[in-house]
Amino acid sequence: MSALATPSTPRRRLSVPLTDRDEEELKVVRRSPARLSALIDVDARASDAQLVHAVFEAGLEHLREAEEAAEYEALAADDEWADAERRRREGRARAGRRGGSQSR
């Protein structure tokens, strides 16, 4: 369990509008051992509020993971750009050395 997933005292309660589709999805989650096991500190006996909160936390975790993946992709792209730029500079330096010796 991650530090962010530890239970804490709620600071406030919100009214969350749920569509018919949302209600159906929550029923699917409640009935699915695989989906329930993916949530932290929730089982089939959880209240609706506990279930919605656990799904909310799972969504936040997904967003954090997506952000981290995007950051790694950006770093990889920067590394690829830096490698390509280094190869271009080295190629120009070699071409300059060859060109300088040819003009003699």
Side-chain angles (χ1 to χ4, degrees), residues 21-64:
R21 182 172 181 237
D22 297 336
E23 293 277 357
E24 288 303 314
E25 290 287 339
L26 286 174
K27 286 178 187 174
V28 169
V29 169
R30 188 178 294 281
R31 292 183 198 134
S32 169
R35 290 186 184 196
L36 279 175
S37 69
L39 300 174
I40 298 170
D41 294 333
V42 173
D43 61 25
R45 299 174 309 229
S47 70
D48 288 344
Q50 290 170 322
L51 184 62
V52 168
H53 183 74
V55 169
F56 172 76
E57 285 186 348
L60 289 176
E61 182 63 24
H62 175 76
L63 292 173
R64 283 188 289 271

Side-chain angles (χ1 to χ4, degrees), residues 83-102:
D83 290 344
E85 185 63 20
R86 179 183 47 77
R87 286 190 299 273
R88 280 192 292 276
R89 281 193 307 267
E90 289 171 353
R92 284 193 300 263
R94 281 192 301 270
R97 285 192 297 264
R98 284 190 305 248
S101 62
Q102 291 174 350

